[in-house]
Amino acid sequence: MSATALLDQWEEHLAIAQRRSPHTVRAYLATAERFLLALDLAEWKQVADVRTRDLRGHLAQRRMEDGIGNLSAARELSALKTFIAYALEQVGAQPGTGPRLRGPRVKKGVPRPVTPDEAINLAEVVEETAGSEWTGKRDVAVLLLMYGAGLRIAEALSLKANDLPLGETLVVTGKGNKQRVVPLIPVVRDAVAAYAKACPHSLQAGGSLFRGARGGPLSQGMVQKAMARARKALGLPATATPHALRHSFATHLLGSGADLRSLQELLGHASLGSTQIYTQVDAAKMLQAYRSAHPRANN
């Protein structure tokens, strides 16, 4: 076998068996390739035999030579543990016998949501600055699925033509192939319907709902570029990304009284801990309001 053969098998497992997103597949492949080359590994048995000191040494070298920080190191460690666990399966080894190494502490940042007015303005500018009428309607539909339904960008772009016409709810397949049901408000359904009507490409059952200019599946990069143009036109910070719309969805629901458990289900988080970060956003907003309104706040 060869390192290339290992990577090909790993890619197939990630993309088909685990149905990981294209972004995750690329990241995990790059991490595994660096690891194989650094340790000169070309057999599953060699990968399965990797010890904790080998893993620690590789990550230390990445820090010294490439200057990666705690967040990148934690992501690489997670990807490598998954890779090694797969290698253990391939050689019939006992699960859980791989290297035991704790990742670096990573301080979770507080998401920076956009305001409701900013979300509306972004959608309007995205449509106005699009290259054509139908691509403008397409980009608006994608953004509203994130802001109005809390979808990840990959989840929105994974929708199929046979999901049409959208009803009051939508079954979404998220991370880890986990399905959830999300409600769709009329403005979101109307935006998707307007795009589907204007799209010049045939939206056949089983094919992607959102299409690029030439008819292929729409890429995340095109949505990100549309958002970048709009935020620049509006003078918004670089944090106003497509994913910030999902943060806004969560923050605004929490601020309107939604409970954490319901929010967890709507966002498709595996654990409540991932959802609790939005309580920090709400608390920060309350503290800011207090400091600006209370006569003694700054004394």
Side-chain angles (χ1 to χ4, degrees), residues 225-293:
K225 286 180 181 178
M227 186 78 165
R229 288 196 305 269
R231 72 167 178 257
K232 185 175 181 180
L234 293 170
L236 295 177
T239 53
T241 62
H243 198 65
L245 295 175
R246 176 172 149 90
H247 289 323
S248 303
F249 165 83
T251 305
H252 299 162
L253 279 183
L254 187 63
S256 298
D259 64 273
L260 280 176
R261 285 291 181 189
S262 298
L263 192 56
Q264 178 190 358
E265 290 298 320
L266 288 172
L267 291 172
H269 285 160
S271 68
L272 190 60
S274 299
T275 313
Q276 286 176 327
I277 191 171
Y278 293 103
T279 62
Q280 300 177 38
V281 177
D282 207 43
K285 183 178 178 181
M286 287 190 292
L287 185 57
Q288 183 180 4
Y290 165 78
R291 285 175 174 166
S292 62

Side-chain angles (χ1 to χ4, degrees), residues 122-124 126-127 133-149 151-153 156-157 159 164 166 170 184 187-197 209-210 218 223 245:
L122 281 165
E124 290 177 349
V126 159
E127 188 166 14
E133 181 180 356
W134 80 269
T135 57
K137 293 183 183 299
R138 175 200 66 194
D139 294 343
V140 168
V142 175
L143 296 183
L144 287 181
L145 279 166
M146 289 185 281
Y147 178 66
L151 270 60
R152 300 177 177 92
I153 186 170
L157 297 185
L159 295 180
L164 295 174
L166 297 183
L170 176 68
L184 296 177
V187 67
V188 175
R189 300 199 303 268
D190 292 346
V192 174
Y195 151 70
K197 184 177 180 181
L209 171 58
F210 294 108
L218 180 62
V223 180
L245 295 175

Side-chain angles (χ1 to χ4, degrees), residues 1-12 36 42 44 86:
M1 216 168 199
S2 66
T4 301
L6 297 188
L7 292 172
D8 288 344
Q9 186 177 335
W10 180 229
E11 181 179 16
E12 183 178 356
L36 293 177
W44 286 123
Y86 179 71

Side-chain angles (χ1 to χ4, degrees), residues 26-50:
R26 286 194 299 271
Y28 274 40
L29 271 178
T31 299
E33 183 175 19
R34 281 192 297 267
F35 187 63
L36 293 177
L37 292 175
L39 275 69
D40 193 23
L41 308 176
E43 300 286 342
W44 286 123
K45 181 66 168 61
Q46 293 176 323
V47 179
D49 286 342
V50 166

